[in-house]
Structure formats: structure tokens, C-alpha cells
Amino acid sequence: MKAVGFKTSLPIASPNSFIDFEIEKPTPKGHELLVKINAIAVNPVDYKIRQNSAKDTELAEPKIIGWDACGIIEAIGNEVSLFKVGDEVYYAGDITKAGCNAEYQVIDERIVGKKPKSLSNEAAAAMPLATLTAWEILFDRIRISTEKDKGKTLLIIAGAGGVGSIAIQLAKKIAGLKVIATASRPESIEWCKHMGADVVVNHKNLTEEVRNAGLQYVDFIVDFVDANAYWDEMVELIKPQGHIASITGSATPIALNKLKTKSASFSWEFMYTRSSFQTEDMIEQHHILNKVADLIDEGVLVHTLTQTLDGLSAETLKLAHEQLESGTTIGKLAIKL
Amino acid sequence: MKAVGFKTSLPIASPNSFIDFEIEKPTPKGHELLVKINAIAVNPVDYKIRQNSAKDTELAEPKIIGWDACGIIEAIGNEVSLFKVGDEVYYAGDITKAGCNAEYQVIDERIVGKKPKSLSNEAAAAMPLATLTAWEILFDRIRISTEKDKGKTLLIIAGAGGVGSIAIQLAKKIAGLKVIATASRPESIEWCKHMGADVVVNHKNLTEEVRNAGLQYVDFIVDFVDANAYWDEMVELIKPQGHIASITGSATPIALNKLKTKSASFSWEFMYTRSSFQTEDMIEQHHILNKVADLIDEGVLVHTLTQTLDGLSAETLKLAHEQLESGTTIGKLAIKL
């Protein structure tokens, strides 16, 4: 089968930042599904891994990345019980295994959902990673209650990106929160409002902007861009007993003590935790993706696809990464196989 | 009225580490109660404040500390609705105001509870600060569910101290958790078991000890001694998607990033947050203290008093602080007025 990968971490403009190659089609075992992929999407985690995982070395075999796909099940392992051959599915995947930048992929059924019927393959492929991340950060990490927390306030730092776009929708439409999202360009401000944000503020002078919007504190903050850079403003804006969460990681130690007088909480969300550790509740990702498929088909949630490229190749993946690395992408970019 | 305080931060053995003095009896306003104190207890926060709040200065008036008391209401402010004159009460207090090392104190009714009927004044005075801290860290910060989390595992670092002794009981008897507590001396090990701990481990070689007890990970960790010192072991032992909480603060930045691959959470608990910020839910402390009074009177929870000194004076407070500073106190020490 055809696949795209890299053997060395190179700047995206380098001729070999991505290479086309052929590899044997994998065989599904146990809980695995063999999926014939018909669309994929890209995420910031992709270029971070491309830039860092083969820095001072050349890999023996090209590394296949990519963790957002839509496809049709072509074969199943002997323990599969949630799906059958021919089912249309969408999923993010498992960072400890080969990704979806290929014609076929094997994937554990417990992290796969049924494709939303009302979406194109490309729009469906654009959903899983951002959806799982946004769902987990709000409902599994912060543990926002769709009953008790209605009307509380959530600040979303980086509202117009892939994860931000879904987080706005989930917070507003499922949890009933008041959503304040950050965006700075006219088109990203417009997009955040379209996703359901009640208030859009500029990330520069964040504290002042939020205060000007009439809020001394917010109950919850989710950060999708840089936990270190926004730490002091998050500390200032979080309500006593509030909860901050981030997906970005932190290159340096953090002045956690600043949250103490407020008895505040902090959580990381890493979408790959459940599959990496094979947690007992790993099947939650299957349930989340199915729930979200229903919510999309019922018209409650909308897809976030804004750009589509054609054909799986080193060339289209270079274009896709180049776009993501610019940091200006609104919503999601997909590739149609 | 008689009070005990200090004007300068001095080692406890210094003659003026505490001084006896007279001050006017305060008058209750608004939601305040005037309480005639009949017993107080001491906590590590007391000597931390004594050691640090007047380091390079001499205060104009002696500072009154102490945040654990039992007494009888002698007068009430014009907005009081939860209590009446003559009620017996117990409470921790508000760190932004004068403490309880005095014959009388005014205190906001919303952070006061009815005294457990079955306890002596001294045993009742030993409960509030540790109880509020333990209750809040388990149920308001980590948000342990008494329904969904039954049977999960909790590691308590420093099980035999004031807060640890109550945390063990609440975790075991109210939340139905499996409790692993740290203690190292024979008498503190025995005490932790008496409080309800399922397993007691030594804090030295903590990871190894917990693993030897058959646990790869624990669902929750609460630290009552030193978040910095135990950070790496807490990171190692926490279950993916688990939750760590601490009351100690941290003098240096923390390598928070180490929790990322596990999508783990961290909370501070600071018992004074609600009163300091006058949060909307400040009255929760009234409810917690009342609930715990009932649980004590029903025989579900037991008091943690182990030592009593006689008489409010600089001398008894010196003895009490000396004992606490030794770091070997089991349960709680109270002073009978």
C-alpha cells in the first residue's frame, strides 16, 4: 500500500521533509480493525512530532504519522465486537502506533466511532482528534457537569483553532456555559462567534480584555496554545476554587504555588493517554465519538472543516503542514484520498 | 479580655515568642457572632504564621493567631440568622482576621458549625480546621464522588497528623475508598490503622512501598507534608487520569509537565480560600461543620484529640507550638481555657 512518512526531522520546505513510499498492508489482530482510509486531517501534534522525533538520526524505516481519519472497515481481528466489515468509521488513533498517513491502517476498535452520516468523508476526518480532546478536557478533566455547572463561565484561549472550535460548541451547546474565546483577526473572531462564543476577546492584554467584558473572574479556563505564556494571566483570571486545563505541555517548571490562595485546580489533557496506557476506560473514546456523531447528525454540533487538499502524497502533506505551521489556520484542514 | 499574641517572629524558645496582653472585647456586626471561647487547638499553619509574619519588623499591636475553637455565643450581629445567643459552636476561622488565641472572638456565622454534642469542648476544638481541610480537599477539590468512586484508591501522605487523621476517616467511612496512608513510627502506624487506613506504608521509599502493597498506581493522592519533596513520587504513583492534591504550597516552581502524558490533575486546598475571597458558597463551611457534627454524634467519625494543655497563656501556647514544630504530633493538641 501507499504511505507517506519521514526518516529525518527536517524543515517542511526541505525536499525530504516527507517521502512517498510503499509498505505492506497491515493485518488486524485481536481488537483491531483494518480500515481503508478515504480522508485524513492534520493537527499541530503532527508537525511537532515530525519536527522532533528524528532530529539527530535517520530512521531505518519511514515513520508514518497522522491521527485523524475516516474510512471503511475492510477486515477485523478475532476479538472485535463493536464493528463489522463495511462499517464507515472515524477515529483519531494511538500515538504509540503508526498513524493514518497511508491507504490503510489497523486501529483498536475501542478508540473508533461510527462516522457521522450527515458529513462528507473529509468533514468527518476533521473531527476526531479535536473532538476527543475538547470533550475530555471539559468533561473528564475539569469534570464540568452538564447539570450543576450551567451558566458558569469558561475562557477558551485560542478559540478558532481545531480544538477551540469544538470546545466552544461543546461548552455552549452541551454544557450551557457562557463562553469567552480569544481570537484576534476579523475572520477568526467571526469564526468563534459562528461556533457559538458569547464573547470574543483579544489574547493580547487578556486580563484587561476579560475585565472589560464585565468579568472579574471566570470559573474555568482551557488553554490550547501555551500554558507557560498565559500562566500569570490564567492565575489572575481564574475564580477562587476554579479549574484551569491545558493541552500544550510546558517546557519549563511552572509557578504552581500562585494558584494556592485560590484553592484552584489544574489539569493536563492529552488525547493519547487512554490508548497509550490502555486504561480500563479506553472504550470511552468509542462512546464519545459515537455520541458526537449523533449530535452532528441531529444538527446540534457542526463540523469545523475549512480547507480540503486532494490526494495522499508527500506533496499534499507538505502543503498541509506548511499551512498548520503558520499558526493562522481557522478550523481544520483535511486531505481527500 | 485576655489574649495571647506576638509582635515579632521569634524562635519559640525566646521569652517573647508569645506574650500575654489585654485587649478590648470585640463587638459583633452584621453576620458576626461574639463567641466566649472555652477551648482552642493548634495547627501547623499557626507556627508558620508566627515564624514568618513579623520577621523584620515589630508590629504596633500584638498579632492574635489560632484557627480552631469551641465556645458559646454571647452576642450576635444584626444580620445573623443561623445561630442564637447561648448556642455552642465550633469553627476554624478566617486568616485575614484575628485568631482564637483569646477569651473572645468575633466570627462570621457562615463559617461556624454547631458543636458536636457528644464531644468535650477540647475534642470539639480539635476538629474544625482539619475537618474543613480534609473535606474540601477530597470532595470540593478532587471532587471524589461518594457514589461513583467507591472502591478507588487514595494515598494519603502524612496520615497521622491532624488533617491526615480526618482525611483517612472521611475517605474510608464516607467515600468508601481504599486508603493507603504513610506513617513511619510504630505509634503513628497504629494511629493510622485506628483511623481506618487499609494499608500503612513508610514515606521513605514511597513508590517501592506502595508497589510492594500490590498497587502499581493509585487513583488519588493527597499530600499534607511537602508537595515539592514528594512531586516525583506522586507523578510516578498517580494513575493515568488521576488527581493529586496538596495543602502545603510550594517554595519553587514545579515540573508540572511530568503529569501530562497521564492527563493528570492537581489541586491546592487552602481552607481559608472561601472566607478570604468571601466566595458565594462560603456558607458551605457552615454546612460541612454541621454535617461532621452529626457524623460524630452518630458515631461514624471519631475525634482526633490526643493531648490537652490547661489555660490560655503565652506559656501554654509556647508548649503547644514547641510540640507541633517537632513534627511528631499524632492527631491534635488542644488547650482548655
Side-chain angles (χ1 to χ4, degrees):
Chain A
M1 69 173 188
K2 193 175 167 178
V4 178
F6 60 88
K7 290 179 124 183
T8 318
S9 290
L10 295 168
I12 194 64
S14 304
N16 292 326
S17 61
F18 274 116
I19 49 178
D20 293 297
F21 67 104
E22 288 287 324
I23 187 173
E24 207 176 323
K25 195 157 94 175
T27 306
K29 289 172 217 143
H31 282 282
E32 285 174 346
L33 315 171
L34 174 69
V35 177
K36 181 174 177 7
I37 296 169
N38 49 38
I40 58 174
V42 289
N43 291 285
V45 65
D46 297 14
Y47 70 74
K48 287 177 191 167
I49 290 177
R50 198 201 82 241
Q51 288 169 350
N52 294 300
S53 63
K55 259 180 163 170
D56 309 305
T57 180
E58 181 173 303
L59 306 173
E61 299 298 326
K63 185 175 174 70
I64 302 173
I65 61 172
W67 289 278
D68 251 344
C70 177
I72 296 174
I73 299 174
E74 196 172 279
I76 58 175
N78 60 353
E79 291 176 70
V80 165
S81 66
L82 304 171
F83 295 100
K84 60 183 194 308
V85 170
D87 284 352
E88 293 187 280
V89 293
Y90 75 145
Y91 56 89
D94 176 345
I95 206 167
T96 66
K97 307 211 166 125
C100 64
N101 293 348
E103 285 183 296
Y104 292 88
Q105 184 181 13
V106 288
I107 183 89
D108 193 300
E109 61 172 342
R110 290 166 292 182
I111 58 175
V112 171
K114 61 175 184 184
K115 170 186 171 281
K117 288 189 186 71
S118 56
L119 293 189
S120 68
N121 295 335
E122 300 78 68
M127 298 297 291
L129 186 141
T131 297
L132 289 168
T133 304
W135 187 286
E136 289 183 347
I137 203 169
L138 296 176
F139 303 122
D140 296 334
R141 305 302 163 237
I142 300 187
R143 294 172 80 170
I144 289 170
S145 159
T146 53
E147 288 158 25
K148 289 185 207 160
D149 290 327
K150 266 201 204 328
K152 290 193 177 173
T153 47
L154 168 71
L155 171 63
I156 298 178
I157 302 179
V163 182
S165 303
I166 308 285
I168 293 174
Q169 296 188 58
L170 294 176
K172 186 70 197 168
K173 297 169 189 172
I174 309 302
L177 302 182
K178 175 169 180 173
V179 178
I180 303 95
T182 73
S184 55
R185 292 171 296 141
E187 58 272 31
S188 52
I189 293 169
E190 192 45 50
W191 175 263
C192 287
K193 287 184 179 160
H194 173 58
M195 291 293 118
D198 295 287
V199 182
V200 182
V201 298
N202 196 307
H203 61 94
K204 291 162 203 152
N205 311 313
L206 183 58
T207 304
E208 202 186 321
E209 289 259 333
V210 172
R211 298 269 156 91
N212 285 345
L215 294 157
Q216 176 69 9
Y217 299 125
V218 290
D219 295 286
F220 312 114
I221 301 177
V222 290
D223 159 58
F224 300 132
V225 63
D226 190 339
N228 280 99
Y230 288 99
W231 188 252
D232 284 349
E233 300 212 78
M234 294 197 290
V235 165
E236 174 62 34
L237 287 170
I238 195 69
K239 200 173 199 170
Q241 311 183 80
H243 201 135
I244 299 170
S246 172
I247 64 168
T248 69
S250 154
T252 54
I254 281 185
L256 195 54
N257 204 50
K258 291 185 180 178
L259 290 176
K260 193 189 166 208
T261 54
K262 286 188 176 172
S263 289
S265 300
F266 178 85
S267 300
W268 291 117
E269 157 58 17
F270 185 54
M271 195 281 298
Y272 303 102
T273 297
R274 284 177 158 134
S275 50
S276 302
F277 287 92
Q278 298 270 310
T279 64
E280 286 161 27
D281 72 348
M282 185 174 153
I283 200 170
E284 271 305 307
Q285 294 201 330
H286 168 70
H287 298 314
I288 295 167
L289 289 171
N290 281 352
K291 256 181 266 180
V292 168
D294 289 340
L295 289 166
I296 290 169
D297 290 339
E298 290 159 11
V300 177
L301 301 178
V302 299
H303 77 78
T304 57
L305 181 68
T306 51
Q307 288 176 74
T308 304
L309 299 175
D310 241 328
L312 175 74
S313 69
E315 195 189 350
T316 49
L317 274 161
K318 281 185 193 182
L319 286 171
H321 277 228
E322 218 158 37
Q323 167 65 37
L324 273 195
E325 288 180 24
S326 76
T328 60
T329 308
I330 291 175
K332 296 275 304 192
L333 185 159
I335 296 172
K336 185 176 177 175
L337 263 67
Chain B
M1 67 174 189
K2 193 175 166 177
V4 178
F6 60 89
K7 290 179 125 182
T8 317
S9 290
L10 294 168
I12 194 65
S14 304
N16 292 325
S17 60
F18 274 116
I19 49 178
D20 293 298
F21 67 104
E22 288 286 326
I23 188 174
E24 207 176 324
K25 193 158 94 174
T27 306
K29 290 174 215 143
H31 282 282
E32 285 173 347
L33 314 170
L34 175 69
V35 177
K36 181 172 176 9
I37 295 169
N38 49 38
I40 59 173
V42 289
N43 291 286
V45 65
D46 297 16
Y47 70 74
K48 287 178 190 166
I49 290 177
R50 197 202 83 241
Q51 288 169 349
N52 294 301
S53 64
K55 260 180 162 170
D56 309 306
T57 180
E58 182 174 302
L59 305 173
E61 300 298 326
K63 184 174 175 73
I64 302 172
I65 61 172
W67 289 277
D68 250 345
C70 176
I72 296 174
I73 298 174
E74 196 172 279
I76 57 175
N78 59 353
E79 292 176 71
V80 165
S81 66
L82 304 171
F83 295 99
K84 60 183 194 309
V85 170
D87 285 351
E88 293 187 281
V89 293
Y90 75 145
Y91 55 89
D94 175 345
I95 205 167
T96 66
K97 309 213 164 121
C100 63
N101 293 349
E103 285 184 295
Y104 292 88
Q105 183 180 14
V106 288
I107 183 89
D108 192 301
E109 62 172 343
R110 291 167 293 182
I111 58 174
V112 171
K114 61 175 184 185
K115 171 185 169 283
K117 287 188 186 73
S118 56
L119 293 189
S120 69
N121 296 335
E122 300 78 66
M127 298 297 291
L129 186 140
T131 297
L132 289 168
T133 304
W135 187 286
E136 289 184 346
I137 202 169
L138 296 176
F139 303 123
D140 295 335
R141 305 303 163 236
I142 300 186
R143 294 171 81 169
I144 288 168
S145 159
T146 53
E147 288 158 26
K148 289 185 207 160
D149 291 325
K150 264 200 205 330
K152 289 193 178 173
T153 47
L154 168 71
L155 171 63
I156 299 179
I157 302 178
V163 182
S165 303
I166 308 285
I168 292 174
Q169 296 188 59
L170 294 177
K172 185 71 197 167
K173 298 168 188 171
I174 310 301
L177 302 182
K178 175 169 179 173
V179 177
I180 302 96
T182 73
S184 55
R185 291 171 297 143
E187 58 272 32
S188 52
I189 293 169
E190 194 43 52
W191 176 263
C192 287
K193 287 183 181 161
H194 173 58
M195 291 294 119
D198 296 287
V199 181
V200 181
V201 298
N202 196 308
H203 61 94
K204 292 161 203 153
N205 311 314
L206 183 57
T207 304
E208 203 185 321
E209 289 258 335
V210 172
R211 297 269 156 90
N212 286 344
L215 294 157
Q216 175 69 11
Y217 299 126
V218 290
D219 294 287
F220 312 113
I221 301 176
V222 290
D223 158 59
F224 300 132
V225 63
D226 189 340
N228 280 99
Y230 287 100
W231 187 252
D232 283 349
E233 301 212 77
M234 295 197 290
V235 165
E236 175 61 34
L237 287 170
I238 194 69
K239 200 171 197 171
Q241 311 183 80
H243 201 135
I244 300 169
S246 173
I247 65 168
T248 69
S250 155
T252 53
I254 281 185
L256 194 54
N257 204 51
K258 291 183 181 180
L259 290 176
K260 193 189 166 205
T261 55
K262 285 187 177 173
S263 289
S265 300
F266 178 85
S267 300
W268 291 117
E269 157 58 16
F270 185 55
M271 195 281 299
Y272 302 102
T273 297
R274 284 178 157 133
S275 50
S276 302
F277 286 93
Q278 299 270 310
T279 63
E280 285 161 29
D281 72 347
M282 184 173 154
I283 199 169
E284 271 306 306
Q285 294 200 329
H286 168 70
H287 297 314
I288 294 168
L289 289 171
N290 281 352
K291 256 181 267 181
V292 168
D294 289 339
L295 289 165
I296 290 169
D297 290 339
E298 290 159 13
V300 177
L301 301 178
V302 299
H303 78 78
T304 57
L305 182 69
T306 51
Q307 287 177 78
T308 304
L309 300 174
D310 241 329
L312 175 74
S313 69
E315 196 188 348
T316 48
L317 274 160
K318 279 185 194 182
L319 286 171
H321 277 229
E322 219 157 37
Q323 168 63 38
L324 273 195
E325 288 180 24
S326 76
T328 61
T329 309
I330 291 175
K332 296 274 305 193
L333 186 160
I335 297 172
K336 184 177 178 174
L337 264 67

